[in-house]
Amino acid sequence: MEEIDNRTYWVIAIFLFVGITGATIQARGALVPTFETFFGVSKSQLGLLTPVGTVGYLVAMLTLGSASGRVDVRRFLLAGVALTGVSLLALGAAPGFLVLLGLVGMRSLASGVFRALDRPTLSHLYPESRARMINLQEMTWAIGATAGPLLVTAIVSQYSWRATYLVLAALTVPVFVLIWRLDAPTGTTNERSFGLSDLRPLLAKPGIYGMVVALVFVGSIESIYFTWLPSYADATFSGWITGVVLSIYLAAYVPGRWLFSRLSDRFSFTRLLVVTTVLLTGLTYLAFSGANGYVLLGSIFGVGLLVSGLFPTLISMGIEAMPSFSGPVNVVANVATQIGFSTAPVIVGVLADATSIETAILVQIGLAGLLALVMVVLELGPTGTASAVS
């Protein structure tokens, strides 16, 4: 294949797999009520699904991401796709909940092998437009995530829930075949090996530590919406609106990430993020200060539109600060996000028990405001000159 073709096909393969992972994660969420009935387990047991998945994903990230300069990238991407397909098939045949739980960890570990290397690969394939490509990549995740629950609804209405995982496993086959036929992605040999001695200078870069602090808040904001937005709608409203609020929020990620893929090539990272987070703070206040009906839905869509571009733009800022360590930067970014992702919903749950979900959800206004403050400080500081345009 000619070079330009090889690069394009790599983008197609990566985007397809990322879309499948989005569909898989959201399909699992949609199947939770079915798991509860089918396996006869409690809600506390079902609550283990997310932590187990997170652990598997982070183990792969920490192990492989830090070694991205020393591994055969093509071989590991191929292995990640193959193991994901096998684990999805096994999930569809799980005889009991404990086996299902273990297989969720295996699937997350397998997908983590791929995800530890996909952004670094894109970064080296498109060094002139990293932010645009990473935003587009995350847009495909949002498309898959939006399609996941729809896939579950369509399949479960006619077949067993197990067929969902059979379909998802089948979708990995063309990705595997495509990567099998491709030459190794160019530029990945520029990735430097990473050791513990490199961690301190990495975190000393303003673009890196700024990314870390901001992503803790971003992970917190996203996880609270994923976990508690339906409960807020259910407690505040009645009728059809309670069932569509989260879908509207998630659907906004698709046009949002496309929009950020365009804007990130035209404006500096920090300037774009300052404007985004200030708007986000105002819109979050509007959404949770008494909005109802179509005003609420419009506000939630707007919030999703703004939140959607935060993670990919921030991780692009971090990679731009040290492009030869794109794999380790990817790991640091994911760990920071998961810190917020795994702790914030618990805090909101405790506050909701002590007060109400309507009161607890107001935490989102404070988180958005703090994130805006972080971005203003970064814009006024040394990272303010970092530009998405070379």
Side-chain angles (χ1 to χ4, degrees), residues 4-232:
I4 186 170
D5 291 332
N6 191 63
R7 187 168 78 158
T8 301
Y9 281 123
W10 269 111
V11 171
I12 292 171
I14 290 172
F15 280 21
L16 283 174
F17 186 81
V18 169
I20 293 168
T21 60
T24 300
I25 291 170
Q26 295 300 328
R28 186 184 71 199
L31 285 170
V32 164
T34 302
F35 293 155
E36 182 177 13
T37 303
F38 188 87
F39 293 112
V41 293
S42 65
K43 285 183 172 57
S44 60
Q45 289 173 298
L46 290 168
L48 295 172
L49 288 168
T50 298
V52 168
T54 300
V55 168
Y57 184 80
L58 285 181
V59 165
M61 278 281 174
L62 290 168
T63 303
L64 192 56
S66 59
S68 57
R70 302 189 296 271
V71 301
D72 185 328
V73 171
R74 177 182 171 276
R75 182 177 297 175
F76 274 90
L77 288 172
L78 199 62
V81 177
L83 289 173
T84 298
V86 170
S87 60
L88 286 169
L89 278 176
L91 273 166
F97 183 73
L98 287 179
V99 175
L100 181 83
L101 201 61
L103 289 170
V104 165
M106 175 182 167
R107 200 282 307 163
S108 298
L109 180 70
S111 297
V113 169
F114 192 99
R115 298 308 312 273
L117 298 172
D118 60 2
R119 292 190 196 97
T121 299
L122 284 177
S123 173
H124 290 297
L125 286 173
Y126 290 88
E128 74 285 355
S129 53
R130 290 187 180 95
R132 180 170 64 87
M133 296 307 299
I134 291 175
N135 267 287
L136 288 173
Q137 177 201 33
E138 293 303 314
M139 185 185 76
T140 63
W141 181 94
I143 292 171
T146 304
L150 299 176
L151 177 68
V152 170
T153 300
I155 290 177
V156 172
S157 66
Q158 299 292 327
Y159 307 100
S160 166
W161 62 269
R162 297 182 185 278
T164 304
Y165 286 108
L166 178 62
V167 171
L168 290 170
L171 292 175
T172 65
V173 174
V175 182
F176 181 86
V177 173
L178 180 56
I179 295 178
W180 180 270
R181 296 184 58 202
L182 287 174
D183 298 325
T186 57
T188 51
T189 53
N190 296 329
E191 185 82 9
R192 291 168 56 194
S193 295
F194 186 81
L196 287 177
S197 60
D198 297 307
L199 185 60
R200 185 183 294 273
L202 180 74
L203 294 177
K205 290 278 187 179
I208 304 293
Y209 66 69
M211 175 196 73
V212 168
V213 174
L215 282 177
V216 172
F217 288 117
V218 172
S220 299
I221 290 169
E222 287 195 295
S223 63
I224 290 170
Y225 282 127
F226 289 158
T227 306
W228 294 111
L229 189 56
S231 297
Y232 171 80

Side-chain angles (χ1 to χ4, degrees), residues 2 5 24 60 145 175 182 243 275 305 333 362 377:
E2 295 182 3
D5 291 332
T24 300
V175 182
L182 287 174
V275 174
L305 201 73
L362 297 178
V377 171

Side-chain angles (χ1 to χ4, degrees), residues 254-274:
V254 178
R257 283 177 170 165
W258 178 86
L259 178 63
F260 274 85
S261 76
R262 311 296 296 179
L263 295 175
S264 57
D265 270 349
R266 300 180 183 181
F267 302 98
S268 72
F269 294 127
T270 50
R271 190 160 301 170
L272 175 60
L273 289 166
V274 165

Side-chain angles (χ1 to χ4, degrees), residues 330-356:
N330 187 42
V331 173
V332 170
N334 277 276
V335 171
T337 305
Q338 290 300 320
I339 289 172
F341 206 89
S342 58
T343 56
V346 177
I347 295 171
V348 170
V350 172
L351 290 173
D353 281 339
T355 55
S356 66

